[in-house]
C-alpha cells in the first residue's frame, strides 16, 4: 500500500509542521504501508514558511522559538528515519523548509522548471533546522552557495547537484 501526503497551502507554517508530524506517526504505525509519496497539492510543492511570520519570530521569547525549532527538527528527523521508502515529487516552487523535506526523502524527482530557493536567507535567517539534511543531499559546497545567496535554481540544476534523482518536462512529471 502507498501513502500519499499532500502539502496543504492554506494552513499556517506551524500547523503544517504539526500536521506532517502526526501524519508521519500514522504512517510509521501502519504495517500495511510500503511506500510514502510526498508532494504538493496544486501548482507548487511548497513555498515554505511565510517570511513575514518568520521575521515576527524574532520578537518571540526564547522558549517559543526553541519549541518551534524542536518541532521542525522532529519533523525532519522523523521523515529522514521513516522505515519505508519515501519519494518527493516536486513541481512549481519549493522554497525554504520544502528543501528540507525533499532532502529527507530517500528519492526525489521533479519538473525541469521547478524553482528551488532557501529564501529565508533574504531576511537574514539561516536555514539551520534543515541544513544537516540539505548538506547531506546536495553536498557542503552547494549548500554553502545556496544558503549564502538565496539564489533560485531550477529542476535541472537540482538534478545536477543531487537534490533530485531525475527531472522531467512538467508535462511528463506524472
Amino acid at each position: 500500500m502507498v501513502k500519499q501526503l499532500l502539502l496543504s497551502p492554506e494552513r499556517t507554517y506551524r500547523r503544517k509542521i504539526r500536521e506532517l508530524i502526526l501524519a508521519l506517526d500514522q504512517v510509521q504505525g501502519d504495517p500495511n504501508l510500503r511506500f510514502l509519496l510526498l508532494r504538493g497539492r496544486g501548482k507548487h510543492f511548497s513555498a515554505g514558511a511565510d517570511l513575514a511570520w518568520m521575521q515576527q519570530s524574532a520578537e518571540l521569547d526564547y522558549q517559543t522559538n526553541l519549541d518551534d525549532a524542536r518541532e521542525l527538527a522532529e519533523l525532519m528527523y522523523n521523515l529522514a528515519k521513516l522505515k519505508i521508502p519515501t519519494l518527493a515529487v516536486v513541481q512549481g516552487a519549493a522554497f525554504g523548509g520544502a528543501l528540507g523535506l525533499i532532502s529527507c526523502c530517500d528519492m526525489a524527482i521533479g519538473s525541469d522548471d521547478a524553482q528551488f530557493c532557501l529564501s529565508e536567507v533574504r531576511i537574514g535567517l539561516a536555514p539551520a533546522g534543515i541544513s544537516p539534511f540539505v548538506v547531506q543531499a546536495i553536498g557542503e559546497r552547494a549548500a554553502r552557495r545556496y544558503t549564502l545567496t538565496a539564489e533560485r535554481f531550477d529542476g535541472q540544476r537540482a538534478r545536477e547537484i543531487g537534490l533530485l534523482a531525475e527531472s522531467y518536462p512538467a508535462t511528463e512529471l506524472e
Side-chain angles (χ1 to χ4, degrees):
M1 184 183 292
V2 173
K3 176 74 174 181
Q4 190 171 181
L5 293 183
L6 296 169
L7 304 180
S8 304
E10 67 277 355
R11 290 187 175 75
T12 66
Y13 182 64
R14 192 174 276 146
R15 285 186 64 198
K16 283 182 190 178
I17 291 173
R18 176 61 21 212
E19 177 184 288
L20 285 171
I21 289 171
L22 294 173
L24 289 174
D25 287 346
Q26 288 178 341
V27 167
Q28 189 72 358
D30 188 338
N32 296 315
L33 296 178
R34 302 283 183 245
F35 186 80
L36 174 74
L37 176 65
L38 182 66
R39 69 176 316 162
R41 183 177 305 169
K43 187 177 176 182
H44 301 289
F45 181 79
S46 174
D50 174 28
L51 292 180
W53 175 82
M54 291 181 82
Q55 282 181 309
Q56 291 171 352
S57 69
E59 298 172 15
L60 298 175
D61 64 85
Y62 173 80
Q63 191 60 50
T64 302
N65 275 310
L66 186 60
D67 291 344
D68 285 350
R70 282 186 178 140
E71 196 151 61
L72 178 61
E74 178 184 353
L75 169 60
M76 296 299 153
Y77 181 80
N78 290 356
L79 180 56
K81 299 301 179 193
L82 201 62
K83 294 191 185 322
I84 58 174
T86 55
L87 171 68
V89 178
V90 184
Q91 80 285 354
F95 288 1
L99 268 77
L101 293 172
I102 296 163
S103 297
C104 288
C105 287
D106 297 313
M107 300 164 278
I109 62 171
S111 64
D112 292 335
D113 62 354
Q115 291 291 302
F116 301 85
C117 182
L118 292 164
S119 52
E120 59 270 46
V121 175
R122 290 190 179 136
I123 60 169
L125 297 175
I130 64 170
S131 289
F133 305 101
V134 173
V135 169
Q136 185 174 3
I138 69 174
E140 191 174 330
R141 174 74 53 131
R144 273 195 224 141
R145 173 183 176 174
Y146 295 110
T147 58
L148 290 172
T149 66
E151 177 184 349
R152 285 187 187 197
F153 55 98
D154 64 15
Q156 291 177 342
R157 178 71 180 141
R159 187 188 74 244
E160 291 168 6
I161 63 175
L163 185 62
L164 298 179
E166 298 292 338
S167 69
Y168 304 95
T171 57
E172 298 176 23
L173 184 58
E174 292 299 319

